Amino acid sequence: PRGTDARRGDRLAEATTRVDATTIALAATTGGTTVSVVARPRVVIVTTGDELRDAGDPLDGPGDANRLRDGNGPMLRSTLERLGAEVAWTKRVGDDLEATRRAIEEGVDAADLCITVGGVSAGALDLVPAAAAELGLEPVQRGVRVQPGRPLSWWSRNGRLGLVGLPGNPVSALVCAHLFVRPWIESTLGLDPASAWTPRILSSTVATNRHRPACRPSRFSIDATGRALVEVATWSGSGDLPHLAGTHGIARMPSGVTEVPEGTLVPTLDW
């Protein structure tokens, strides 16, 4: 983990308190006087956009027809904590370059990884790339060949990953968090990211994207014969949050084809 020796020591000390009692008992009875632990990676989340409001906002004021409650921040916090990260804090900033720059600077200084949500496309109010440039962060990748989530970008600081810019649409944000942030968390914890993927059988033919691999929110089940099945939800676009309701994870469809037939074995990833 990046940071001062004191901060690293504090985090490692905190991690040791999370070793469960059974592990400690087994170590003691087998003569183990020390237990190796891994500190959870520390992240911050910055959601962007003038249109965002708190979850409790009634949205009944002037102009509120063009605003929405921020669901991405709570969604990503829950996701990343469940995957093993420590979320230090979340913050929301409007479409203001100075505020965006300041929030990112605070994030990269306070955590192992700063994650922004929104502001990475090509519009006039997509300010994350400009803020990263002002901070001297080194661009690593702008855009990915995947659907949803094409605008995803990331930057490094001092040769290490420091900032990830997730797309603002909720389906894109969640999918990209699992595709790109999750492997970083798992690697940091000493896990093998590839082992999280499970092959399942398509229960019906799926239309897909010929130009990019498509990662579709899906439902998983076991049929009467014990086969692991995947039902891909009807694709309604990356901005359709209700599209995620009742899904269990992602099914990855290959590019270069217009449909994937029923009965095909495809890789899946649980939320």
Side-chain angles (χ1 to χ4, degrees):
R2 186 179 64 247
T4 65
D5 289 341
R7 183 188 302 163
R8 183 179 297 109
D10 289 344
R11 290 182 56 210
L12 290 172
E14 179 184 0
T16 62
T17 67
R18 299 179 186 278
V19 176
D20 64 83
T22 302
T23 303
I24 293 173
L26 289 169
T29 56
T30 56
T33 56
T34 61
V35 179
S36 297
V37 298
V38 177
R40 294 193 299 160
R42 183 180 174 91
V43 303
V44 301
I45 301 169
V46 179
T47 58
T48 68
D50 285 343
E51 73 279 10
L52 298 179
R53 294 293 183 269
D54 292 332
D57 194 314
L59 295 183
D60 57 0
D64 279 352
N66 298 317
R67 299 184 178 112
L68 69 157
R69 300 178 185 91
D70 179 14
N72 282 336
M75 174 179 72
L76 292 171
R77 179 173 197 136
S78 175
T79 296
L80 299 180
E81 287 179 339
R82 188 180 61 79
L83 292 173
E86 173 193 352
V87 179
W89 42 261
T90 62
K91 177 177 287 190
R92 188 173 68 247
V93 297
D95 295 319
D96 177 84
L97 180 57
E98 174 58 23
T100 302
R101 185 199 64 76
R102 189 165 55 248
I104 292 173
E105 184 175 29
E106 292 172 358
V108 296
D109 285 342
D112 301 310
L113 183 64
C114 177
I115 300 170
T116 59
V117 190
V120 289
S121 294
L125 298 179
D126 291 305
L127 303 174
V128 170
E134 286 193 5
L135 291 169
L137 301 179
E138 300 94 27
V140 178
Q141 182 74 29
R142 287 294 311 278
V144 291
R145 196 174 68 90
V146 66
Q147 184 192 42
R150 191 167 190 169
L152 176 103
S153 304
W154 60 93
W155 294 260
S156 65
R157 186 172 77 162
N158 300 325
R160 299 185 63 179
L161 182 66
L163 171 66
V164 171
L166 297 178
N169 282 335
V171 182
S172 294
L174 183 61
V175 168
C176 284
H178 278 276
L179 291 181
F180 299 100
V181 180
R182 177 176 180 162
W184 173 81
I185 294 173
E186 292 172 336
S187 296
T188 302
L189 294 173
L191 305 173
D192 176 14
S195 67
W197 289 87
T198 302
R200 290 182 168 97
I201 301 167
L202 277 180
S203 61
S204 60
T205 298
V206 177
T208 187
N209 190 315
R210 185 167 60 88
H211 304 289
R212 290 181 282 163
C215 292
R216 296 285 189 254
S218 304
R219 300 175 182 87
F220 306 146
S221 63
I222 302 293
D223 71 5
T225 65
R227 297 187 309 163
L229 300 180
V230 53
E231 176 192 358
V232 175
T234 301
W235 179 243
S236 301
S238 61
D240 184 14
L241 180 60
H243 175 66
L244 296 173
T247 60
H248 303 120
I250 302 164
R252 187 173 65 204
M253 305 291 135
S255 60
V257 296
T258 56
E259 65 177 26
V260 182
E262 175 184 348
T264 302
L265 198 65
V266 297
T268 65
L269 184 66
D270 290 63
W271 292 134

